[in-house]
Amino acid sequence: MITLLVKLFIKDRENINDAKVRRNYGMLGSIVGISLNILLFVIKYFAGVVSGSIAIMADAFNNLSDAGSSVITLVGFQFSGKKPDEEHPFGHGRMEYISGFIVSMAIILVGFELAKSSVGKILAPTPVDSSGLTVAILILSIIIKIYMTLYNRRIGRKIDSEAMKATATDSFSDAIATLVVLLSIVVMKTTGIAIDGWCGIVVALFILYAGYSAAKNTMSPLLGRMPDPDYVNQIKEIVLAHEEISGIHDLIVHDYGPGRVMISLHGEVAGNGDIFKIHEAIDLIENELNTKLGCEAVIHMDPVAVEDEEVQRMRAKVEELIKNISPEITIHDFRLVKGPTITNVIFDAVVPYKFSLSDEAVKREIEKRITDTWENCHPVVKVDKSFV
């Protein structure tokens, strides 16, 4: 069904890099979710009234709350598509992450409530409604929730939406919870043993973990996570394909929501080159990044003494010394400033996170190796962390 609706209502549906197309995918998935959850609510509420089953009535209102979660996702996609304004010059794309986080909190709340009711059933077991109508409703609910899981997950992966992935997790949690209820009914009917309370505890733990995972995934981009390595490699390939750039460093990817990415980097250029030609090349690279990756780019020109053989020899030797500490450490912005008796060796060293040595220890070790190798050299080392 969702494939048919996509074909009917989303024009240029394969162009998912287009913000409007992406938003339409999210809104369509949310509207389908609202519709199916309301349908489940109506069926279960009617069945609950007819059969007098409290369990079905409770599950009906759970589906109504799920419809509310889909409404939150829908609103998130709607607001995330708003254009930048004077108060939010980088747009409103992060609203999608916020809506996904709210849905994950709803998942965790459901997990706590299920755990609470399950403990109550363990302490005071109650008969489980095992009528044919109840079983049929539960099976229908499982089928629909699995379908919702699949289409939400597919859309979430297609447009890389944490909000849709969180909604898929919510649907899957509901399907598992309902399946456990169905199994407990079968066990009760065949053996007379009431296990629904214990099963509820297991499902509650599963739902709580799913909610935690969804919250972590939606909060991570809000806090500023590392960018996708493939995206970083694309940036490097585009920039380094131009002969004016000999290397890049200090690459930062600023994520303001899907379709709203800004990047900044330092591009190493020949210090003796024509600054006007290099500036023109930088402009072309920034435009190319915008066209191919849909990002706003700012490139800082970093002059390198490519013609100074002494600097190049010194840099190569320093890199060799540092590789003996760890091949994971890289350097950039290397330059020599000569004085009457002392030469300042100035550069930045990039150290990975969770490195075995502290930044201060790395700095001391680098400085020691340089001074041990050259008596008349004074190292000026700044230790950095990579943003990609």
Side-chain angles (χ1 to χ4, degrees):
M1 181 180 74
I2 196 72
T3 303
L4 177 61
L5 292 175
V6 166
K7 291 180 179 179
L8 290 175
F9 295 106
I10 300 181
K11 296 180 180 179
D12 197 18
R13 57 185 178 275
E14 294 303 322
N15 186 19
I16 57 174
N17 290 324
D18 184 279
K20 185 177 180 180
V21 173
R22 190 180 180 284
R23 184 170 68 253
N24 288 340
Y25 265 104
M27 293 180 67
L28 177 62
S30 300
I31 291 170
V32 172
I34 294 169
S35 303
L36 290 176
N37 277 310
I38 290 177
L39 174 64
L40 282 173
F41 167 74
V42 172
I43 294 173
K44 290 180 181 179
Y45 185 82
F46 175 76
V49 171
V50 172
S51 66
S53 170
I54 299 298
I56 292 182
M57 291 285 284
D59 206 20
F61 283 98
N62 178 48
N63 288 132
L64 192 60
S65 69
D66 291 339
S69 296
S70 293
V71 169
I72 292 171
T73 306
L74 177 64
V75 172
F77 273 103
Q78 184 65 33
F79 274 94
S80 67
K82 288 182 64 178
K83 294 181 179 180
D85 53 41
E86 59 183 11
E87 293 184 354
H88 306 93
F90 299 110
H92 303 76
R94 287 180 175 173
M95 278 299 299
E96 184 180 326
Y97 301 145
I98 294 173
S99 66
F101 179 72
I102 294 173
V103 171
S104 67
M105 290 297 99
I107 296 172
I108 291 174
L109 179 61
V110 169
F112 275 117
E113 288 298 320
L114 180 57
K116 181 180 176 181
S117 62
S118 297
V119 170
K121 286 185 178 182
I122 292 173
L123 297 176
T126 56
V128 180
D129 183 5
S130 58
S131 65
L133 179 61
T134 299
V135 172
I137 293 296
L138 292 177
I139 292 174
L140 176 64
S141 178
I142 292 170
I143 293 172
I144 292 178
K145 283 295 182 179
I146 289 176
Y147 170 71
M148 292 174 67
T149 300
L150 295 175
Y151 87 71
N152 278 309
R153 185 176 294 164
R154 187 172 67 181
I155 291 178
R157 288 174 177 171
K158 187 176 184 67
I159 64 175
D160 192 23
S161 167
E162 296 298 339
M164 294 304 295
K165 292 175 185 177
T167 304
T169 300
D170 187 21
S171 298
F172 186 62
S173 299
D174 288 341
I176 293 296
T178 306
L179 177 61
V180 170
V181 172
L182 182 60
L183 291 175
S184 66
I185 289 175
V186 173
V187 172
M188 181 70 179
K189 196 158 188 173
T190 55
T191 66
I193 301 174
I195 63 168
D196 53 319
W198 295 104
C199 290
I201 291 292
V202 174
V203 173
L205 293 174
F206 168 79
I207 292 175
L208 287 171
Y209 178 76
Y212 163 76
S213 299
K216 182 180 178 182
N217 290 335
T218 52
M219 278 297 291
S220 186
L222 289 172
L223 294 174
R225 66 183 174 188
M226 279 285 189
D228 184 351
D230 290 337
Y231 189 76
V232 172
N233 289 333
Q234 284 180 291
I235 295 172
K236 291 180 178 179
E237 287 176 4
I238 291 172
V239 175
L240 294 176
H242 295 259
E243 61 181 8
E244 293 84 1
I245 308 295
S246 59
I248 66 173
H249 57 267
D250 288 340
L251 170 60
I252 305 176
V253 178
H254 310 265
D255 182 0
Y256 293 98
R260 195 68 183 173
V261 177
M262 297 189 70
I263 67 170
S264 60
L265 61 91
H266 289 207
E268 296 176 356
V269 300
N272 61 347
D274 186 325
I275 190 171
F276 292 101
K277 289 183 178 179
I278 294 174
H279 185 269
E280 182 181 8
I282 292 293
D283 284 343
L284 291 173
I285 296 170
E286 289 174 344
N287 290 330
E288 185 178 352
L289 287 167
N290 180 268
T291 302
K292 293 183 177 179
L293 300 182
C295 62
E296 297 293 331
V298 177
I299 300 178
H300 168 76
M301 293 187 295
D302 227 346
V304 178
V306 293
E307 298 295 328
D308 193 323
E309 295 183 0
E310 181 184 359
V311 172
Q312 296 306 315
R313 283 198 304 269
M314 189 74 168
R315 174 169 181 159
K317 183 62 178 177
V318 170
E319 286 178 332
E320 184 181 340
L321 292 173
I322 291 175
K323 282 184 179 180
N324 290 331
I325 301 173
S326 172
E328 294 182 289
I329 303 175
T330 60
I331 66 172
H332 59 81
D333 283 344
F334 188 93
R335 61 191 187 277
L336 302 179
V337 178
K338 294 184 178 181
T341 57
I342 295 294
T343 297
N344 288 320
V345 183
I346 307 170
F347 60 90
D348 293 355
V350 181
V351 180
Y353 291 95
K354 296 182 179 179
F355 193 63
S356 56
L357 299 176
S358 67
D359 290 354
E360 190 59 37
V362 170
K363 181 179 179 180
R364 286 197 303 268
E365 184 62 28
I366 292 174
E367 290 175 344
K368 180 179 183 301
R369 296 194 181 215
I370 290 176
T371 53
D372 286 349
T373 305
W374 298 283
E375 292 181 359
N376 63 333
C377 286
H378 173 65
V380 181
V381 182
K382 178 186 176 185
V383 176
D384 282 342
K385 297 292 185 186
S386 175
F387 294 103
V388 295

